[in-house]
Amino acid sequence: MAIQYAINGTTAKEISASAERAVSAGALGAGATLPPVRRLAERLGVSPGTVAAAYQELRRRGIVVTRGRGGTVVAEAPAAASRRPPKVPEGLRNLAGGRPDPALLPDAAPGVRALPVSRSHRAAPRLPELEEAVRGWLERDGVPAGHVTFAHGALDLVGRLLSVELRPGDAVAVEDPGYHHLLDLVTALGLRTVPVAVDEEGMRPEALCAALREDGVRAVVLSPRAQNPYGGCLSPARRDALAALVRGASDVLVVENDYAWGIAGAPLHSLCAAGPARWAHVRTVTKSLGADLRWAAAACDATTLARHDGRLLLTSGWVSHLLQATVLALLTDPGTRDLVGRAGAVYARRRGALVAALAERGVTAHGRSGMNVWVPVADESAVVNGLRTRGWWVAAGARFRVASGPGVRITTADLTEAEAVRLAGDFAAVLGEAEATYGG
């Protein structure tokens, strides 16, 4: 039954805001049918065009959907945990995790101890020595570092930025295929995911242009290198093309997640350094120094810094100074820097070995940087299950995708070159079997 009493207003903005409040308060539940345009217009004493414009805004924000003769209904709340990976079966060679090789991670920083507390950490949330080191760390890669802040990992920082900058229903442009935890996060915040196709140079400009023009995107989140799962990295030309699209959009926040510092196997061509008005370059050390170092740094414009730090102050307050001291000790240790450099070279060699071995067997794969290789396939389940029978476990691409084609992700961080050859042979055999069974 159509619900009318929950919606009021005399302008399109007032009507859409009234409906949104009703949805938020539970007066309009998922699946509830909104009144037909003309009926609501008559009740409110406005033109049908005014109501139609309000409904269009509600659709744009993902609050309602149109079901043809079924009318306009309140959208179902999406599940926030639908993209979690399945449990790895016992006895299989696990190439689905996306994690670094433990042998290429440094030991815990020696000599780090708890610091004496002489005043509130909220008054001085960042260690000055680490803040200075971070500025140099970022500026060496061409990232402006006049304003920096810290957080408990990349997703913690990105989530805080999106929550203070956007409101439920706003559109966020994300890479497709892209990082599955980010896709979960955007959904959990009540934001609308707008997929942007990628290739080996990162986001495709024509796809981002369409997202900005047609979907009213308020934020763009991308990886400048080691894009997960596709392995792309921004070239200077691609960076400049994307910069031309976002430079004039003063109401769009650009967030780039440089999560694979040191081991990406590709130079940084930062979109944030190319002139967007609102931006944040996020850098983490979990892939290069250790997954349990839940710390991230960000350089950003002054407004973004103020909004992020204001929300941080009201929640966790600061990042542990003991954690900051550990990161500082590792970042400034010559032995650790040498190990990170060697790790990047090893990851590049292992990734390249699999891409080359697959190419020799006529299988196209993508992986110009990082620790993952993306292989487009016609049937993800057939490939995953076929490789499982041969002792391999790879990640089905479904949890990384929104609108892009199927594929599988293979983590090559600890894959030896001999294993790469054997895996490529098994992969080609599985594809042949799938083609014979399903016709490709």
Side-chain angles (χ1 to χ4, degrees):
M1 182 178 72
I3 300 176
Q4 301 185 39
Y5 63 83
I7 305 176
N8 293 287
T10 57
T11 66
K13 184 175 181 179
E14 290 174 351
I15 294 168
S16 63
S18 173
E20 186 172 350
R21 286 194 300 271
V23 172
S24 299
L28 289 175
T33 303
L34 271 62
V37 169
R38 291 190 178 278
R39 184 184 305 169
L40 183 59
E42 290 175 1
R43 188 180 73 81
L44 298 179
V46 299
S47 72
T50 298
V51 175
Y55 282 12
Q56 181 179 18
E57 173 64 12
L58 291 170
R59 284 193 298 271
R60 186 187 71 79
R61 292 174 59 77
I63 296 169
V64 302
V65 295
T66 300
R67 295 179 175 171
R69 293 183 179 180
T72 300
V73 301
V74 177
E76 297 287 341
S82 60
R83 296 178 183 269
R84 300 303 182 190
K87 183 178 179 180
V88 181
E90 293 185 7
L92 299 184
R93 180 70 165 92
N94 182 11
L95 302 175
R99 290 180 287 273
D101 185 346
L104 296 173
L105 295 174
D107 295 329
V112 175
R113 60 184 180 83
L115 303 175
V117 180
S118 58
R119 57 176 175 163
S120 170
H121 285 342
R122 291 180 186 270
R126 295 184 290 275
L127 293 182
E129 300 87 351
L130 181 57
E131 189 168 354
E132 181 180 356
V134 164
R135 292 183 194 279
W137 187 39
L138 296 171
E139 289 171 350
R140 283 192 292 274
D141 282 330
V143 179
H147 305 283
V148 300
T149 190
F150 302 159
H152 301 92
L155 286 179
D156 176 64
L157 205 153
V158 173
R160 192 172 294 110
L161 288 175
L162 295 180
S163 67
V164 298
E165 294 286 345
L166 280 63
R167 52 181 182 158
D170 281 346
V172 180
V174 298
E175 297 160 324
D176 185 25
Y179 183 35
H180 60 292
H181 290 304
L182 174 65
L183 300 178
D184 285 352
L185 176 62
V186 171
T187 297
L189 292 174
L191 303 172
R192 184 161 51 93
T193 299
V194 178
V196 177
V198 302
D199 58 25
E200 291 190 338
E201 294 185 62
M203 276 188 170
R204 293 168 52 182
E206 69 278 11
L208 180 57
C209 181
L212 292 168
R213 183 180 64 248
E214 300 171 10
D215 294 286
V217 161
R218 292 288 316 284
V220 178
V221 184
L222 76 161
S223 298
R225 51 186 174 179
Q227 194 273 340
N228 184 8
Y230 205 88
C233 52
L234 293 179
S235 66
R238 179 61 57 85
R239 183 268 318 274
D240 292 345
L242 297 177
L245 296 173
V246 300
R247 192 175 293 124
S250 59
D251 60 339
V252 175
L253 175 67
V254 176
V255 181
E256 59 181 11
N257 179 13
D258 190 23
Y259 76 95
W261 161 79
I263 53 89
L268 175 68
H269 300 293
S270 171
L271 177 59
C272 288
R278 301 294 313 285
W279 60 276
H281 174 90
V282 182
R283 184 171 289 188
T284 56
V285 296
T286 54
K287 300 299 184 185
S288 53
L289 301 184
D292 204 35
L293 289 175
R294 308 310 299 171
W295 173 86
C300 45
D301 66 89
T303 299
T304 299
L305 175 78
R307 291 178 178 175
H308 172 272
D309 285 5
R311 180 63 60 87
L312 178 66
L313 184 67
L314 295 173
T315 52
S316 59
W318 69 91
V319 175
S320 161
H321 281 196
L322 180 59
L323 174 59
Q324 292 187 49
T326 301
V327 172
L328 175 63
L330 289 170
L331 285 180
T332 56
D333 176 57
T336 299
R337 290 200 298 269
D338 290 343
L339 177 60
V340 171
R342 292 198 304 273
V346 170
Y347 290 143
R349 186 168 63 249
R350 291 172 178 172
R351 183 184 68 249
L354 180 59
V355 172
L358 288 169
E360 290 175 359
R361 291 157 179 80
V363 180
T364 300
H366 306 282
R368 292 183 61 184
S369 61
M371 301 184 299
N372 299 300
V373 169
W374 178 261
V375 188
V377 298
D379 188 324
E380 292 178 2
S381 296
V383 171
V384 171
N385 290 328
L387 289 175
R388 178 178 180 176
T389 65
R390 289 165 167 78
W392 308 100
W393 184 248
V394 301
R399 74 177 187 267
F400 303 98
R401 300 187 290 109
V402 179
S404 59
V408 296
R409 189 194 73 173
I410 303 172
T411 299
T412 58
D414 63 348
L415 185 72
T416 68
E417 295 182 43
E419 286 180 315
V421 172
R422 183 163 62 88
L423 173 58
D426 287 344
F427 204 110
V430 168
L431 289 181
E433 292 172 0
E435 183 174 356
T437 302
Y438 303 107

